[in-house]
Amino acid sequence: MNKSEILESVIEKANSWLEGSYDEATKNAVKSLLEQDDQTNLIDSFYKDLEFGTGGLRGKMGPGTNRMNIYTVGAATQGLANYLNKSFPGEEISICIGYDCRNNSKLYSDTVANIFSANGIKAYIFDDLRPTPEMSFAIRHLGCKSGVIITASHNPKEYNGYKAYWEDGSQLVPPHDKNVIAEVKAVKVEDIKFKGNPDLIEVLGEDMDKLYLDTVKTLTLSPEAIKNQKNLKIVFTPLHGTTVKLVPDSLANFGFENVIHIPEQDVVDGNFPTVWSANPEEPEALKMAVDKAEEVNADLVMACDPDGDRLGISVKNDKGEWEIINGNQTALIFTYYLIKRKKELGLLTGNDYVVKTIVTTELFKDVAEKNNVQCFDAYTGFKWIADVMRKNPEKNYVGGGEESFGYMPGDFTRDKDAVSACSVMAEIAAWAKDQNKNLFDILKEIYIEYGFSKEKMIYIVREGLQGSQEISQMMHDYRHNTPKEINGSKMILVKDYTTRKATNPITGETTDLDFETTADVLQFYLEDGTKISVRPSGTEPKIKFYFEVRETLGCVTEFYATEEKANKKIEGIINSLKLN
């Protein structure tokens, strides 16, 4: 479809919003888009429908089929309600609804509750904002068939989103995601039942919080270390989001008595006034917390994203400088600790497993397998980690994580869980301090015992229709013009998850990848041990590049030299691919 055809289609879709059941404010906003000389916003608002990606429905707020508003939220909800009623005929169906701190989150969550109740489905809805993992927990505890949380995670303030969950508490995977989309696409605005049935709406409050936090408490493996280090100085920030109460409550429940707040960032605000990005992956987001940590000589800094599923941490390195531990390193520390302590306590069964995503460091797998713990690979997104759990009920889940600052240390949720992760990470810090160490020391011990790995992720942003086409072209070029070498190292293996084939470019030999579904991901493995992963984001207008290089670390004194060598190699790879 060329640009004029796209514009013609967009204008037709926009004009359809000027008729029928749309409210006057929405119609006026669409008229304004149609009257603008620059048609970029009009095209971006209507050129496609929002679709479920790795994180569900997500987009900028505003009028249009490609925007978050009560009509796209309403269509998604009506479609999901239709699918639930078809999937569970004759059964009593209930659903759990949560929401975060973002602008319009309360409006959208109330809209969702009304629509489900109007379709004869009982809607449990939290009385105020709550972290995503608690909603996942509540689905399982209440025996719901599905769940929805209104959130755009760590996206900019202009965004909101809609994560849909199934009865096990995980986000939708095939065939449910595709089936729901089919139902949503069949919904017309006049089909949406906006008028709710109050008799089918029940509010959840502190009782559910207590159940959840008491379950999180069962994860503790080193209560004596916490008792000894109960005054561990922990600086915590919720970055204006949903963990403002539950993370401090959980830390207190574990036994920590010295949690230090950033008052300005305890203010719940969807505009995120103290940060340009409420993403704990970004160093800037942790700046106020690190400044406070320097002021009070803290032991640990922890930050959560607005919906409370991601955890960012910072600790002092050997030079006395505060350093953010990246998502791969965080996942390594969790996995190392959980396996080590469970082995010491006799809690491993011999049928144990962990899960990582395919773009996460391979060192995660090395730690597991050298301790006779099976490691599964999954696609990006915790719904795929949950899918592994669903398919292995007879095995003992130890932990699962991904490089993007997410970890799930317990099996009572089916999404990344920063409330649990903060609690366990604080315990690991206490356990380390009980041995006169900190988390940086633990990380170096892992590297010496299992090998050194250095990772970096970069991304290129391409907004709108043109940006989407540019990203598609980049993926096409990497597929069909794959480099024979990168940074002077030969390509020895290419994995393409759209075909689910692994190819040796030297011999031409191919093998099948053990995945039931496809994904738009490419991975390049080089002769020197480097792994490069390339994928378009499922929730943001980005193409992401993940680099992992391996080196040998003989002793602690060689750490910084080894790290510098690895960093130079990564920069060489980025230059070779012309990404700078």
Side-chain angles (χ1 to χ4, degrees):
M1 189 181 289
N2 61 40
K3 190 171 182 180
S4 63
E5 289 173 327
I6 291 168
L7 183 58
E8 183 180 340
S9 171
V10 161
I11 290 172
E12 182 181 345
K13 287 173 78 174
N15 279 323
S16 73
W17 278 52
L18 300 181
E19 304 166 358
S21 303
Y22 297 94
D23 64 85
E24 286 305 312
T26 295
K27 289 179 181 179
N28 289 334
V30 173
K31 282 179 188 175
S32 177
L33 287 173
L34 284 163
E35 291 167 359
Q36 289 176 7
D37 292 334
D38 184 349
Q39 296 167 323
T40 302
N41 286 336
L42 174 66
I43 291 171
D44 286 351
S45 296
F46 283 97
Y47 83 92
K48 68 174 183 176
D49 297 342
L50 284 181
E51 297 179 359
F52 283 96
T54 56
L57 193 72
R58 194 178 300 187
K60 291 181 179 178
M61 290 176 278
T65 60
N66 190 37
R67 293 287 186 259
M68 285 290 295
N69 50 65
I70 62 168
Y71 299 104
T72 51
V73 167
T77 305
Q78 187 64 54
L80 179 53
N82 292 344
Y83 184 62
L84 287 167
N85 280 323
K86 289 178 181 178
S87 300
F88 303 102
E91 296 186 43
E92 288 188 7
I93 304 172
S94 62
I95 186 163
C96 185
I97 303 159
Y99 62 95
D100 72 359
C101 61
R102 287 177 178 271
N103 300 324
N104 293 317
S105 283
K106 180 70 165 67
L107 169 65
Y108 296 158
S109 64
D110 286 342
T111 300
V112 170
N114 285 329
I115 294 170
F116 278 121
S117 66
N119 282 274
I121 294 171
K122 183 177 180 63
Y124 294 100
I125 184 168
F126 282 96
D127 61 359
D128 203 347
L129 73 171
R130 290 298 194 284
T132 292
E134 184 178 5
M135 194 278 304
S136 175
F137 171 84
I139 291 173
R140 297 172 61 82
H141 179 79
L142 295 168
C144 297
K145 298 299 186 187
S146 182
V148 168
I149 191 157
I150 303 299
T151 179
S153 189
H154 59 284
N155 279 60
K157 63 183 180 181
E158 296 83 9
Y159 284 74
N160 213 321
Y162 180 107
K163 291 182 181 180
Y165 290 72
W166 204 238
E167 60 184 331
D168 66 343
S170 84
Q171 292 181 53
L172 299 182
V173 296
H176 301 306
D177 56 352
K178 301 292 192 298
N179 292 344
V180 170
I181 286 294
E183 292 285 351
V184 172
K185 286 182 175 178
V187 172
K188 297 173 183 172
V189 65
E190 57 267 24
D191 299 329
I192 304 171
K193 300 175 181 178
F194 283 108
K195 187 171 176 56
N197 176 359
D199 293 338
L200 287 178
I201 299 175
E202 183 175 330
V203 176
L204 301 175
E206 292 183 357
D207 289 349
M208 186 58 66
D209 297 342
K210 186 176 188 310
L211 284 168
Y212 173 54
L213 293 181
D214 285 348
T215 307
V216 172
K217 176 71 179 296
T218 65
L219 295 172
T220 185
L221 297 172
S222 303
E224 285 302 313
I226 294 174
K227 187 176 179 181
N228 294 338
Q229 304 297 336
K230 64 183 181 181
N231 289 316
L232 190 80
K233 288 184 181 177
I234 303 168
V235 174
F236 172 72
T237 173
L239 296 177
H240 302 286
T242 59
T243 55
V244 62
K245 185 172 186 298
L246 282 197
V247 164
D249 285 356
S250 187
L251 291 171
N253 207 27
F254 265 58
F256 294 103
E257 299 179 359
N258 196 5
V259 178
I260 300 156
H261 295 251
I262 314 296
E264 302 94 323
Q265 294 185 329
D266 277 354
V267 175
V268 174
D269 190 334
N271 292 313
F272 313 120
T274 65
V275 292
W276 66 266
S277 171
N279 183 356
E281 293 181 76
E282 303 286 353
E284 186 269 344
L286 271 67
K287 184 179 186 308
M288 289 182 73
V290 169
D291 287 348
K292 175 63 74 173
E294 288 180 341
E295 176 190 325
V296 301
N297 192 28
D299 296 292
L300 175 65
V301 167
M302 296 194 291
C304 294
D305 63 348
D307 74 319
D309 59 4
R310 294 186 182 206
L311 162 66
I313 63 173
S314 185
V315 298
K316 279 186 181 177
N317 62 22
D318 292 345
K319 302 173 184 177
E321 302 164 339
W322 285 92
E323 182 171 326
I324 291 178
I325 303 297
N326 71 38
N328 284 292
Q329 294 170 325
T330 303
L332 275 176
I333 291 170
F334 275 122
T335 304
Y336 170 80
Y337 174 78
L338 292 171
I339 290 174
K340 183 179 180 66
R341 287 295 291 140
K342 288 190 175 188
K343 181 183 282 190
E344 291 171 351
L345 295 168
L347 298 175
L348 295 183
T349 65
N351 196 21
D352 314 284
Y353 73 101
V354 294
V355 195
K356 74 173 189 68
T357 61
I358 57 175
V359 298
T360 300
T361 175
E362 296 301 310
L363 196 54
F364 186 116
K365 181 177 290 186
D366 293 344
V367 170
E369 292 181 347
K370 287 181 181 178
N371 286 282
N372 298 314
V373 173
Q374 187 175 4
C375 181
F376 289 95
D377 269 318
Y379 285 140
T380 302
F382 266 70
K383 65 182 184 181
W384 297 112
I385 292 177
D387 193 48
V388 172
M389 298 169 74
R390 187 183 304 116
K391 292 170 179 173
N392 292 278
E394 77 289 352
K395 294 182 183 291
N396 178 42
Y397 175 79
V398 175
E402 63 181 7
E403 52 70 43
S404 59
F405 288 63
Y407 205 87
M408 190 170 72
D411 63 359
F412 46 84
T413 61
R414 288 294 189 275
D415 208 344
K416 50 184 174 282
D417 182 352
V419 178
S420 296
C422 281
S423 306
V424 174
M425 185 57 73
E427 174 174 291
I428 300 171
W431 172 77
K433 192 167 185 180
D434 225 26
Q435 305 170 61
N436 296 313
K437 301 173 185 174
N438 70 3
L439 293 177
F440 200 76
D441 297 318
I442 300 301
L443 184 62
K444 288 185 296 182
E445 287 182 3
I446 296 170
Y447 286 145
I448 290 170
E449 186 172 354
Y450 296 97
F452 181 84
S453 173
K454 183 68 178 181
E455 308 83 23
K456 183 172 183 174
M457 189 275 286
I458 65 171
Y459 56 81
I460 298 171
V461 176
R462 293 290 184 267
E463 296 272 5
L465 172 60
Q466 183 178 343
S468 176
Q469 292 170 335
E470 288 179 21
I471 288 172
S472 294
Q473 185 62 45
M474 290 176 74
M475 292 300 294
H476 178 274
D477 291 344
Y478 281 121
R479 263 189 188 97
H480 299 285
N481 298 292
T482 307
K484 291 183 171 57
E485 67 172 41
I486 297 174
N487 194 36
S489 184
K490 283 183 184 177
M491 185 82 67
I492 60 171
L493 188 67
V494 177
K495 292 183 179 181
D496 188 342
Y497 291 88
T498 60
T499 60
R500 287 174 288 176
K501 297 286 184 183
T503 303
N504 182 324
I506 299 169
T507 65
E509 180 185 357
T510 64
T511 55
D512 293 328
L513 295 172
D514 187 20
F515 286 81
E516 294 180 5
T517 59
T518 62
D520 191 7
V521 183
L522 282 169
Q523 289 187 311
F524 305 140
Y525 292 80
L526 307 183
E527 197 171 39
D528 65 1
T530 295
K531 181 179 83 170
I532 302 166
S533 305
V534 188
R535 61 176 280 267
S537 170
T539 56
E540 300 169 279
K542 296 176 179 178
I543 182 169
K544 295 184 175 183
F545 297 82
Y546 306 80
F547 309 103
E548 178 181 1
V549 301
R550 302 294 289 266
E551 298 288 348
T552 301
L553 178 62
C555 63
V556 172
T557 56
E558 297 173 1
F559 174 80
Y560 289 108
T562 304
E563 185 178 51
E564 180 60 24
K565 184 179 177 183
N567 284 333
K568 285 182 178 177
K569 186 180 286 187
I570 290 173
E571 288 306 309
I573 293 167
I574 291 171
N575 291 336
S576 181
L577 292 172
K578 299 178 180 177
L579 296 175
N580 49 3

